[in-house]
Amino acid sequence: MRISTTVLGIFLSMAMHAQTHQIEKHNGQKIDVNFIKFQNNLLLYSPVGSTVEYKISKYAVAYLHDKKTSHSEMITPKVMLNSKKDFEKVTVIEPEHSIGLDSKKELVVYEGINKGGTNFFINEQSIRKIKYKVAEMGFPFVVIVDKNNGKFRVIAYNY
């Protein structure tokens, strides 16, 4: 009897101390979660009633709502691209920061080499060319997967 009362008390206290939050993604999806922490541009959480830890990129999350205090925290603003002129709004992210983003499109962009250009100048021009091409297609995020002999293989992401 004592053991069952203790176990019941533990379960009730766990339920009362659970960090119930709601993640609101930029695509409108809302997920009820137990928020754990931020780590390296990733939001760590576990679904309500589970102990499994999941990750989602901060770029996919618009708001984190705390249900206990009714406090909302804006994580990232939504990036809206209207034309290819908005290429500066495109963000180059690491592959692990694409968790939770959708609409993948793989592209190949060739590096244009100017005579007498330095490696730094060539790299900056290539990144700009990648951003310009991705913005033209309406994708706010890009991951550079591979660079080989002046050819960049990239993956573009949307919300």
Side-chain angles (χ1 to χ4, degrees), residues 4 13 18-19 23 28-29 31-32 35 49 53 62 79-80 82 93 109 118 122 124 143-144 157:
S4 62
S13 68
Q19 295 180 344
I23 292 175
Q29 182 183 7
I31 307 167
D32 290 328
F35 173 68
E53 189 175 291
V79 178
M80 299 297 293
N82 298 322
I93 59 175
V109 179
T118 64
I122 292 169
E124 286 294 314
V143 174
I144 299 174
Y157 289 92

Side-chain angles (χ1 to χ4, degrees), residues 4 13 16 26 42 60 68 71 78 84 88-89 102 108 123 131 133 153:
S4 62
S13 68
M16 288 172 51
H26 285 292
L42 294 172
K68 285 184 182 176
H71 178 262
K78 188 170 185 172
K84 57 188 174 184
E88 291 184 6
K89 294 179 182 178
D102 297 323
V108 175
N123 234 4
K131 286 182 170 185
K133 189 165 192 164
R153 195 166 60 88

